[in-house]
Amino acid sequence: MMRLLSPNETKFWLLDQVAPTNSVVVLQRATGGFPTQAPPSFDIPVARIGRRGRPRWSVATTPGLIRRATLAAEADWVGIAEQLLDARIGTDDNPPWEAVVADHPGGQTLLIAVSHALTDYRTALALGHAFAEATPVGDLAPACEELLPDNVFGDEDASDLIEGWWSDRAGARWEALGPSRLTAILPPASRTRLTLHRYDASETARILERCDAEGASLNSALAIALRDAAGTDACAFSVDLSRFIRPALPPGPGMAISHVYADLAPGDFWEAARDNRAVVFERIEAGEAGDSLLILPRLLQRPGTPPAWRRSGLTITGAPTWRAAGEDGYDLQLVLSAARAGGGVVIPTLWRGQLQLLGCSPEDDIAMPLAALAAALLRACD
């Protein structure tokens, strides 16, 4: 890990320079407890400015932080997650991680925050699992760009298309402009605010069964529910590209995560949801999700934010966190990301067999219309 940050890692590091940009893993147990001190060998690096003013992964000089808390209700972990999203971690001489072990009626919750530059979704989950089980972290999966081997691209020079550009051309621009100029084109600082909605078991079954019967994904249905609830006309869908890579990637916590942007289809709810699902897959097959991995080089080549980012009122993510209740002894395992990309984020997960929607929105923006979105989705399933 003692190397320059990759393009994708640097994107999140730059966002962190404007305001803390963290991922928070949330694990819950009804019985048993979580460690109340750092597990042995739980060593992760921090990003530090190195030669030519560019960030490199370095050994942490400050230990991670862990504290205890008591919650009146289980769902109150949302307030702690907000605090952790706003903590300075993972850079310079800041702690490499921060964790909270919270007791509440019915069990215990562990929240652990790490730098989003260091982790994608499954890597963060792997770190949370290592902490909960008091096992060594081991080798972390590399960043998205480096996860895709040359033979997947079908071009022996594929690595040079990314690493060569980044090391040479981007390196010179980085040195000439400096982080302050680069952060000037990024979304302004804003704390993240979280809202939570849970459907009961019967509502959850109704929603998931209707999505399956209509041939629509849950994420596409959520996007159309947002269209109906708030008038949003475009959405970004989080995509796990490793699902589409052949030959399949080796087993492990790594994942090639990217986004596909799409205008939301008009018309009947379920017809629109099917249309949006089809558009997302068409754009994945056309390589647009892979192109999005290079969003930082695009920003460096031309000032301003790409139009698709401005028009996206929402990012729907969370497929990587879908887990059956009780797997690995946890009732819930969830990753949150700070809302720093100029719009809100909705994360669907399962909690003890109940569909849960977590809304993340910038504090200085309009509030996430989570209640209206949740109601619109349920009405469509009547």
Side-chain angles (χ1 to χ4, degrees), residues 19 145 181:
E145 303 91 339
R181 174 65 183 89

Side-chain angles (χ1 to χ4, degrees), residues 252-273:
M255 149 182 225
I257 190 88
S258 188
H259 293 84
V260 169
Y261 299 91
D263 293 331
L264 298 183
D268 172 76
F269 186 99
W270 292 108
E271 182 179 353

Side-chain angles (χ1 to χ4, degrees), residues 310-331:
R310 287 199 301 268
R311 296 180 60 243
S312 291
L314 179 78
T315 296
I316 297 179
T317 187
T321 67
W322 276 103
R323 307 194 65 172
E327 185 176 339
D328 292 335
Y330 310 129
D331 289 318

Side-chain angles (χ1 to χ4, degrees), residues 42-345:
F42 192 78
D43 299 320
I44 59 177
V46 297
R48 194 183 308 275
I49 292 291
R51 290 179 286 110
R52 298 176 64 187
R54 297 176 66 186
R56 303 182 68 90
W57 292 116
S58 305
V59 175
T61 58
T62 304
L65 301 177
I66 187 167
R67 58 187 171 92
R68 300 294 302 273
T70 300
L71 305 178
E74 171 273 325
D76 290 347
W77 63 262
V78 170
I80 296 178
E82 283 187 345
Q83 298 171 15
L84 292 175
L85 287 175
D86 204 46
R88 276 290 177 198
I89 56 175
T91 56
D92 305 317
D93 292 323
N94 296 309
W97 54 269
E98 185 171 341
V100 176
V101 177
D103 297 295
H104 52 76
Q108 196 175 70
T109 297
L110 167 68
L111 301 94
I112 180 166
V114 293
S115 169
H116 200 348
L118 180 67
T119 59
D120 63 16
Y121 290 86
R122 286 189 180 169
T123 306
L125 292 174
L127 286 176
H129 184 272
F131 193 100
E133 300 300 323
T135 58
V137 173
D139 293 332
L140 291 177
C144 301
E145 303 91 339
E146 299 163 302
L147 183 63
L148 306 178
D150 292 350
N151 62 353
V152 170
F153 288 100
D155 184 344
E156 62 182 10
D157 297 323
S159 293
D160 292 338
L161 296 177
I162 296 174
E163 297 303 328
W165 192 98
W166 188 233
S167 298
D168 298 331
R169 182 178 177 186
R173 290 178 65 85
W174 182 281
E175 187 174 15
L177 297 175
S180 61
R181 174 65 183 89
L182 295 173
T183 55
I185 64 175
L186 296 174
S190 176
R191 300 180 67 184
T192 300
R193 287 291 171 257
L194 305 177
T195 50
L196 184 70
H197 179 87
R198 283 180 183 155
Y199 295 101
D200 62 30
S202 62
E203 292 171 335
T204 298
R206 195 158 89 237
I207 291 169
L208 297 182
E209 288 170 3
R210 186 66 183 273
C211 286
D212 185 62
E214 294 286 350
S217 67
L218 174 63
N219 284 7
S220 290
L222 283 169
I224 302 306
L226 185 80
R227 179 201 70 178
D228 294 349
T232 301
D233 64 357
C235 186
F237 294 86
S238 182
V239 178
D240 176 4
L241 288 182
S242 62
R243 296 166 52 201
F244 305 95
I245 294 171
R246 297 293 180 272
L249 295 173
M255 149 182 225
I257 190 88
S258 188
H259 293 84
V260 169
Y261 299 91
D263 293 331
L264 298 183
D268 172 76
F269 186 99
W270 292 108
E271 182 179 353
R274 288 190 293 271
D275 287 345
N276 271 105
R277 183 175 187 269
V279 167
V280 168
F281 275 86
E282 287 173 3
R283 295 188 175 177
I284 292 170
E285 292 177 351
E288 292 188 23
D291 288 344
S292 293
L293 291 172
L294 298 178
I295 192 69
L296 179 68
R298 287 180 181 176
L299 289 175
L300 292 175
Q301 285 182 305
R302 61 185 185 186
T305 305
W309 278 39
R310 287 199 301 268
R311 296 180 60 243
S312 291
L314 179 78
T315 296
I316 297 179
T317 187
T321 67
W322 276 103
R323 307 194 65 172
E327 185 176 339
D328 292 335
Y330 310 129
D331 289 318
L332 172 70
Q333 196 171 80
L334 172 71
V335 178
L336 316 176
S337 297
R340 304 293 188 207
V345 179

